Amino acid sequence: MKEKEKTKRSGQKVLITVCTITAIFIVNIIIVNRYKSNKYQRAVELMNEGSIVEAYAVLSELKGYQDSKERMYSIRKQYPAVCFAAVKEGDTVFFGRFEQDGNLTNGAEEIEWIVLEHRADRVLLLSRFVLVPMPFHDEYTEISWKDCSLRAWLNGEFLEKSFSKIERELIWTVENKNKGNEVFESAGCVPTKDQLYIFSLDEASAYFHTDEQKYMIGSAAATPYTINQNIQNSEDNDEKVAWWLRTSEVYEFTAAFVDSNGNLYPNGAVVNNDMSYGVRPALWIDIKPSDIK
């Protein structure tokens, strides 16, 4: 009899404990939902007031609550600079669109970028993924960054098709110093003015020279679209692929590259190799436009 009462009391304790935990869980859900609902309403109010930057910041905290993602996309589309208002080095942001998922029927996807450098009036972005397999130049010949087909594509077709007029107005035109390859004492080429470009050997070395930086920044996965183009990738390394740098080797029918592990290869590869190397564009963005507040 005593054993039955003991078992009964034990069962009651378990039931009470379960009910208590369940009640706490439900209360927490209610509190979180109320918090998110209040945040969401505040974001809507800010949008209606025209406080776009603040509204975007509040929406980003909601992590997909209700239609917050759709509202964020709508803001980015109308005010592309808004997502750069409070970024830090190491953050990722979305800017522009390019085919990435390999499904040509659903349109191009937003391009994700890593913020590598933050200055008072601009930020430097490097695409998180290798966007497309492409040769440095479309024929086997001695060629520099100034005259290669990859530069022409980036500052022509890619720029025009991947960015809206508003977005293009935010992209700085920079003068790139195109030094030679010090390892092989190559001459380099004259400075170029570019909106879109790929890193030089010196720039890559500056932004990812430690093992951690090589892994986090230098090593880059290919998009499904890129893999569908039969680029050579490392299946045992999260489908990472090599990508071009704009520095030529001593013989200008080769260009330097970064391998799938983020290591620099100054000895380079032949410029018309179109299935082993991909493209990670870089650009500077104006973060102080006058049309948002």
Side-chain angles (χ1 to χ4, degrees):
M1 191 69 176
K2 289 182 178 180
E3 187 64 33
K4 286 184 178 179
E5 290 179 1
K6 185 177 180 181
T7 302
K8 183 179 179 180
R9 285 196 299 271
S10 177
Q12 289 173 338
K13 288 181 179 179
V14 171
L15 181 60
I16 291 170
T17 300
V18 170
C19 289
T20 302
I21 293 172
T22 302
I24 292 172
F25 180 72
I26 292 172
V27 169
N28 282 338
I29 290 177
I30 293 172
I31 292 172
V32 169
N33 282 337
R34 184 172 297 172
Y35 170 80
K36 287 184 175 180
S37 177
N38 291 338
K39 278 274 190 181
Y40 179 83
Q41 292 303 321
R42 179 56 181 154
V44 173
E45 291 172 3
L46 289 167
M47 289 178 68
N48 292 336
E49 293 168 4
S51 300
I52 304 302
V53 173
E54 193 175 350
Y56 189 87
V58 174
L59 288 169
S60 67
E61 296 174 7
L62 293 174
K63 308 297 184 185
Y65 177 76
Q66 291 194 18
D67 64 345
S68 57
K69 283 188 176 180
E70 289 77 9
R71 286 181 178 272
M72 288 174 68
Y73 173 69
S74 178
I75 290 174
R76 286 199 301 271
K77 190 173 181 180
Q78 189 172 0
Y79 305 101
V82 72
C83 58
F84 306 110
V87 296
K88 305 180 297 296
E89 292 178 3
D91 287 350
T92 58
V93 295
F94 292 96
F95 185 72
R97 300 180 72 83
F98 190 75
E99 178 57 46
Q100 293 169 80
D101 67 358
N103 181 357
L104 302 181
T105 64
N106 65 358
E109 290 70 42
E110 287 189 283
I111 305 171
E112 189 170 3
W113 306 82
I114 302 171
V115 179
L116 287 187
E117 189 173 338
H118 190 294
R119 298 183 184 177
D121 55 354
R122 52 181 164 161
V123 292
L124 173 62
L125 307 181
L126 174 69
S127 64
R128 180 181 175 189
F129 300 104
V130 175
L131 295 181
V132 63
M134 183 173 289
F136 186 84
H137 191 60
D138 52 17
E139 62 178 304
Y140 181 74
T141 185
E142 291 193 355
I143 198 77
S144 68
W145 166 248
K146 175 180 175 292
D147 299 312
C148 72
S149 58
L150 175 51
R151 177 173 179 252
W153 178 78
L154 281 172
N155 289 280
E157 180 181 338
F158 181 73
L159 177 63
E160 290 296 319
K161 291 186 177 181
S162 296
F163 304 97
S164 67
K165 182 177 183 294
I166 298 173
E167 289 170 331
R168 291 196 298 272
E169 290 173 352
L170 297 177
I171 303 174
W172 281 48
T173 298
V174 296
E175 182 172 279
N176 281 315
K177 308 297 184 184
N178 300 303
K179 292 174 57 179
N181 187 329
E182 293 182 0
V183 176
F184 296 99
E185 299 181 350
S186 60
C189 72
V190 298
T192 53
K193 291 185 177 181
D194 306 305
Q195 286 185 275
L196 276 294
Y197 63 100
I198 55 176
F199 277 174
S200 67
L201 195 59
D202 285 348
E203 290 163 347
S205 179
Y207 287 111
F208 45 93
H209 56 275
T210 68
D211 289 341
E212 180 181 9
Q213 290 169 334
K214 288 177 182 178
Y215 177 76
M216 297 298 295
I217 303 172
S219 179
T223 63
Y225 171 78
T226 300
I227 292 172
N228 289 347
Q229 306 303 306
N230 297 317
I231 191 171
Q232 295 180 16
N233 63 83
S234 175
E235 294 182 1
D236 59 349
N237 189 22
D238 298 325
E239 297 184 327
K240 304 289 181 68
V241 298
W243 48 283
W244 290 112
L245 299 174
R246 69 176 190 271
T247 306
S248 298
E249 199 235 294
V250 62
Y251 303 108
E252 288 193 338
F253 50 76
T254 63
F257 64 90
V258 180
D259 75 2
S260 60
N261 293 308
N263 298 308
L264 308 183
Y265 272 74
N267 53 314
V270 292
V271 294
N272 64 332
N273 188 321
D274 60 351
M275 283 297 111
S276 296
Y277 308 93
V279 182
R280 288 182 79 185
L283 50 79
W284 285 93
I285 293 290
D286 179 3
I287 60 172
K288 291 197 175 296
S290 58
D291 62 340
I292 62 172
K293 64 176 183 176

